[in-house]
């Protein structure tokens, strides 16, 4: 399966990604996670990306396309992948299309998780993420079993610096301006699957599995 996950910040892409990769046994490729790893390791890409991420802007296409397409050449992507947070612009979607076409590959689905904007803001302000594995929790809607600790690896949970109210508002505006056009892009290709993301996590996952033609394990 080659799947992309679309949806605004806070829609639940990361949360669903963890479940989908388990179900379909494919790697989870999150450009946001790749950037955060580079930032914590203070690489050149990390230093360049940080300024954009801190301001709620997208990292420029040239940097983002390079890191994502390079990751797709790894052996673990041979039997499929789940892209989370890429593409986010039309040039990125075009670059992905070119990469796949050259290899005579195609996408199976573009899953678009739809959630009302006021809900997104509440979710993002309550989001806590694992410093180690990136798993996403929520102090209101999806709390960890043990306060402040990741259910999966027991590492500490923190609030992302770009989840401040001001940056969230900017990210949502950037989403509307730069990312929403790719919804039409995938709709025109007949790949778009809209999923109601304003339901509990298990139900969203069930709907995603159904749309991919699979009964969840
Ligand atoms: P994204 O990767 O799309 O930015 P996340 O998966 O990190 O979004 O989810 C954003 C926040 O909302 C997190 O705090 C997460 O725990 C919570 N969340 C995700 N899905 C749901 C859901 N279906 N209902 C309630 N809260 C959710
Ligand atoms: P995410 O973890 O997906 O919410 O991404 C966090 C931040 O990383 C975004 O707000 C962007 O600044 C940057 N980012 C992640 N993916 C992309 C992308 N495909 N294009 C540009 N910037 C990205």
């Amino acid at each position: 399966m080659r799947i992309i996950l679309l949806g605004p910040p806070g829609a639940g892409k990361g949360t669903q990604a963890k479940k989908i990769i388990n179900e379909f046994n494919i790697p989870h490729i999150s450009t946001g996670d790749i950037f955060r790893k580079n930032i914590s390791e203070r690489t050149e890409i990390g230093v360049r990306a940080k300024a954009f991420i801190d301001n709620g802007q997208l990292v420029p296409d040239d940097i983002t396309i390079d890191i994502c397409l390079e990751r797709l050449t790894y052996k673990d992507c041979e039997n499929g992948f789940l892209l989370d947070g890429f593409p986010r612009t039309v040039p990125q979607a075009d670059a992905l299309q070119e990469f796949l076409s050259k290899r005579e590959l195609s996408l199976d689905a573009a899953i678009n998780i739809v959630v009302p904007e006021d809900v997104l803001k509440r979710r993002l302000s309550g989001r806590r993420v694992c410093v180690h594995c990136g798993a996403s929790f929520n102090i209101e809607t999806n709390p960890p079993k043990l306060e402040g600790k990741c259910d999966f690896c027991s590492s500490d949970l923190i609030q992302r610096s770009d989840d401040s109210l001001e940056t969230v508002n900017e990210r949502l505006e950037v989403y509307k301006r730069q990312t929403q056009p790719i919804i039409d892009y995938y709709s025109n290709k007949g790949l778009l699957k809209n999923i109601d993301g304003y339901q509990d996590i298990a139900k969203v996952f069930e709907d995603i599995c159904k749309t991919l033609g699979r009964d969840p394990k």
Side-chain angles (χ1 to χ4, degrees):
M1 277 275 182
R2 289 181 205 89
I3 310 167
I4 63 178
L5 267 185
L6 303 173
K13 300 182 295 299
T15 304
Q16 295 300 326
K18 285 236 178 291
K19 298 167 93 62
I20 297 169
I21 58 163
N22 212 16
E23 178 72 32
F24 290 92
N25 203 16
I26 48 179
H28 174 200
I29 300 172
S30 153
T31 39
D33 284 351
I34 296 174
F35 286 135
R36 281 184 288 276
K37 185 164 188 284
N38 275 276
I39 291 171
S40 73
E41 291 171 357
R42 297 191 166 78
T43 66
E44 198 185 320
I45 286 176
V47 172
R48 289 178 67 193
K50 188 174 187 316
F52 296 96
I53 294 176
D54 285 350
N55 288 318
Q57 302 297 316
L58 295 184
V59 177
D61 280 339
D62 56 345
I63 306 178
T64 309
I65 290 169
D66 278 358
I67 61 150
C68 186
L69 297 189
E70 201 247 338
R71 176 65 184 86
L72 289 179
T73 63
Y74 290 15
K75 199 163 172 50
D76 65 347
C77 294
E78 269 174 10
N79 294 320
F81 51 76
L82 175 72
L83 280 177
D84 161 9
F86 184 98
R88 261 176 157 111
T89 64
V90 172
Q92 290 179 18
D94 284 335
L96 176 63
Q97 180 61 40
E98 195 191 325
F99 175 93
L100 294 173
S101 301
K102 267 191 194 156
R103 291 162 178 77
E104 295 183 5
L105 299 173
S106 56
L107 291 172
D108 293 287
I111 293 175
N112 181 34
I113 307 181
V114 182
V115 175
E117 189 167 311
D118 57 324
V119 178
L120 295 173
K121 289 186 186 180
R122 285 205 300 278
R123 281 189 187 176
L124 290 169
S125 71
R127 172 158 67 182
R128 300 293 182 270
V129 294
C130 174
V131 288
H132 180 65
C133 73
S136 198
F137 298 88
N138 193 287
I139 52 174
E140 305 287 339
T141 62
N142 180 29
K145 291 190 184 90
L146 190 66
E147 197 185 325
K149 298 287 175 196
C150 177
D151 286 358
F152 304 103
C153 68
S154 305
S155 301
D156 288 341
L157 301 182
I158 54 154
Q159 186 160 27
R160 268 171 53 172
S161 57
D162 60 345
D163 279 347
S164 67
L165 190 58
E166 201 188 20
T167 314
V168 161
N169 286 336
E170 182 58 25
R171 285 160 63 205
L172 291 172
E173 286 310 309
V174 164
Y175 171 79
K176 285 182 214 157
R177 218 170 39 240
Q178 292 182 265
T179 306
Q180 224 155 20
I182 67 171
I183 304 294
D184 285 343
Y185 182 103
Y186 288 110
S187 175
N188 292 337
K189 288 187 182 296
L191 289 171
L192 191 74
K193 312 281 181 197
N194 285 316
I195 296 288
D196 177 6
Y198 190 24
Q199 314 181 78
D200 70 49
I201 291 171
K203 181 69 173 69
V204 177
F205 180 57
E206 199 183 309
D207 287 358
I208 292 175
C209 287
K210 270 191 203 144
T211 209
L212 294 172
R214 167 97 56 132
D215 266 339
K217 276 177 206 154

